[in-house]
Amino acid sequence: MFFHAVYFLLGTVVTVTIARYTADWNSLDARPLPSWYVVLTAKHHEGFNNWGSPNSWNWNSVDIGPHRDLVGDLGEAVRNRSLHYGLYNSLYEWFHPLYLSDKKNGFKTQDFVLHKLLPELYNMVVRYRPEVIWSDGDWEAPDTYWNSTEFLAWLYNDSPIKDTVVTNDRWGAGCACKHGGYYNCEDKYTPGQLPKHKWEKCTSVDIFSWGYRRNMKMSELMDLHSIVEDLVRTVALGGNYLLNVGPTPDGMIPPLFEERLRGVGAWLDINGEAIYATKPWRVQMENTTVPVWYTSKGDSVYATFTAKPSASTFHLLEPRSSEYTKVTLLGNPKPLPWSPIDPSAGLIILLPELPFSPGQVWTLKLDGVA
């Protein structure tokens, strides 16, 4: 069973599985993790650390700027709210002279990796014990340059977080969609069908940027309906959903981003049963009355529809009913009237007046169907 989760990069909804690596990219021993995460960008491509890294003197948030250990402070606040904490880290740095020298040498030298990257990664893991490491900035060099397999073997077998950590697939050129606890594949990736491996869609509220833009316009942001629809589609296809927001320079989440995140939370308050701890059903989607995405948990099947039907009757062609079938609308415990379309499959459901739903997306819970 996969557990679906909500976390921030700063801000996001995802599912993750833990995996155990050996030093030769062997197969994974996957285990589920509980739900809510917050993932902070500890270091991006410019190399500025949001903590007092001993390997980044005078280019970190303790030595300059806010003079605060942002990674540590946020981690304490997150864990005090019983949430899980993860860290994004860029392997490469645009301007670091050791990296530029290794790059000039065709990555046949590893001065940046041995003297900057790896000491910093080990220190970050031991000091902050993140439960997600979201790796990035890997694509210019192979995993052998980054010493990825050696680091991951330590991480999953000997580190203090070996039983709780999970990672993505960005550990060297050519690794994406091939190696990792879950696959990112590429930014804003969505598969056309159910993948065989755990995957993640990473996207951003601002369709043009992963950071904060002072000149962003309303028309350049995902609206709440699009976000919830994207989330539902991703989970139905067995994926994580990562929704990024970029804070302002002083660390505030802009009100437009906050409104989207609160809207997702409000939708999950009603419909989270169809997301958390679910897995893909035998059919992921159908489009009859309106588009419908399916998830399942135990003996229950969830049919989430992303548009309001024009009629009071709602047709589902895929579920096979039985004498024990029961249909309810999440948020409304009263069973709904239904009848079979034919003996082999299909339901006709009489809908009530649909209540307001954040994002205008609703979920039917189907018990006693196959």
Side-chain angles (χ1 to χ4, degrees):
M1 180 183 295
F2 294 118
F3 282 69
H4 293 276
V6 175
Y7 75 74
F8 299 92
L9 184 56
L10 225 65
T12 248
V13 184
V14 284
T15 338
V16 290
T17 46
I18 290 184
R20 185 173 295 277
Y21 284 91
T22 64
D24 58 356
W25 288 121
N26 279 347
S27 59
L28 306 176
D29 171 23
R31 300 179 302 280
L33 260 179
S35 302
W36 286 80
Y37 290 80
V38 174
V39 177
L40 174 69
T41 300
K43 184 193 73 173
H44 204 251
H45 307 325
E46 83 295 326
F48 186 87
N49 290 76
N50 282 314
W51 53 289
S53 168
N55 304 97
S56 188
W57 177 81
N58 213 36
W59 189 232
N60 65 74
S61 63
V62 175
D63 290 343
I64 61 174
H67 297 286
R68 290 184 63 177
D69 179 358
L70 301 179
V71 172
D73 289 350
L74 182 63
E76 181 179 0
V78 165
R79 286 165 170 150
N80 285 342
R81 297 294 297 270
S82 299
L83 303 174
H84 296 271
Y85 191 46
L87 294 172
Y88 166 108
N89 181 77
S90 175
L91 299 180
Y92 89 145
E93 299 178 18
W94 284 325
F95 311 115
H96 199 288
L98 291 180
Y99 179 75
L100 294 177
S101 175
D102 287 346
K103 184 177 179 180
K104 185 177 180 180
N105 294 332
F107 299 112
K108 292 181 174 61
T109 57
Q110 292 179 288
D111 291 334
F112 173 76
V113 173
L114 298 177
H115 299 293
K116 175 61 164 66
L117 173 65
L118 287 180
E120 197 162 74
L121 269 175
Y122 285 115
N123 187 280
M124 185 184 77
V125 167
V126 172
R127 185 171 180 178
Y128 299 109
R129 306 198 175 191
E131 293 173 90
V132 174
I133 295 181
W134 210 100
S135 182
D136 199 11
D138 63 315
W139 53 84
E140 289 190 346
D143 64 277
T144 50
Y145 169 74
W146 303 114
N147 280 358
S148 296
T149 53
E150 288 83 353
F151 171 75
L152 290 168
W154 170 81
L155 184 71
Y156 280 108
N157 293 285
D158 298 310
S159 79
I161 55 174
K162 62 185 178 66
D163 296 320
T164 56
V165 71
V166 65
T167 64
N168 62 345
D169 60 352
R170 299 186 182 188
W171 294 97
C175 287
C177 257
K178 295 180 182 178
H179 301 294
Y182 60 93
Y183 294 167
N184 291 128
C185 296
E186 61 187 36
D187 290 352
K188 304 187 179 182
Y189 169 77
T190 299
Q193 59 187 7
L194 182 66
K196 295 180 179 180
H197 190 88
K198 198 63 185 169
W199 66 283
E200 173 184 270
K201 178 170 185 176
C202 54
T203 190
S204 182
V205 174
D206 184 341
I207 62 176
F208 291 123
S209 176
W210 297 86
Y212 171 69
R213 293 188 301 136
R214 293 176 62 186
N215 62 342
M216 65 181 178
K217 302 174 182 178
M218 283 281 290
S219 60
E220 298 168 343
L221 304 181
M222 290 181 70
D223 59 36
L224 182 58
H225 175 78
S226 299
I227 293 170
V228 173
E229 185 178 39
D230 209 19
L231 163 63
V232 170
R233 177 191 303 109
T234 300
V235 173
L237 291 172
N240 305 349
Y241 188 65
L242 182 157
L243 182 65
N244 177 84
V245 299
T248 62
D250 60 357
M252 299 296 292
I253 295 178
L256 287 172
F257 290 160
E258 180 182 350
E259 183 270 340
R260 300 298 194 276
L261 296 177
R262 290 188 181 276
V264 172
W267 186 84
L268 288 168
D269 281 343
I270 300 170
N271 300 277
E273 183 180 341
I275 300 296
Y276 300 124
T278 62
K279 60 183 180 180
W281 194 44
R282 60 176 176 82
V283 174
Q284 287 75 62
M285 190 263 187
E286 69 170 78
N287 192 351
T288 51
T289 310
V290 294
V292 176
W293 292 93
Y294 289 104
T295 55
S296 64
K297 179 166 54 182
D299 296 328
S300 298
V301 174
Y302 300 90
T304 300
F305 49 105
T306 58
K308 191 171 185 176
S310 58
S312 60
T313 56
F314 191 78
H315 292 217
L316 295 175
L317 299 182
E318 293 295 336
R320 297 190 291 267
S321 63
S322 70
E323 59 181 307
Y324 305 107
T325 297
K326 177 183 176 182
V327 181
T328 53
L329 180 71
L330 291 188
N332 181 1
K334 186 177 179 180
L336 302 181
W338 65 274
S339 62
I341 292 178
D342 62 56
S344 60
L347 298 171
I348 301 175
I349 302 163
L350 183 62
L351 292 177
E353 181 66 29
L354 290 176
F356 170 78
S357 171
Q360 295 299 89
V361 175
W362 298 265
T363 303
L364 293 171
K365 181 179 181 181
L366 313 175
D367 292 307
V369 300

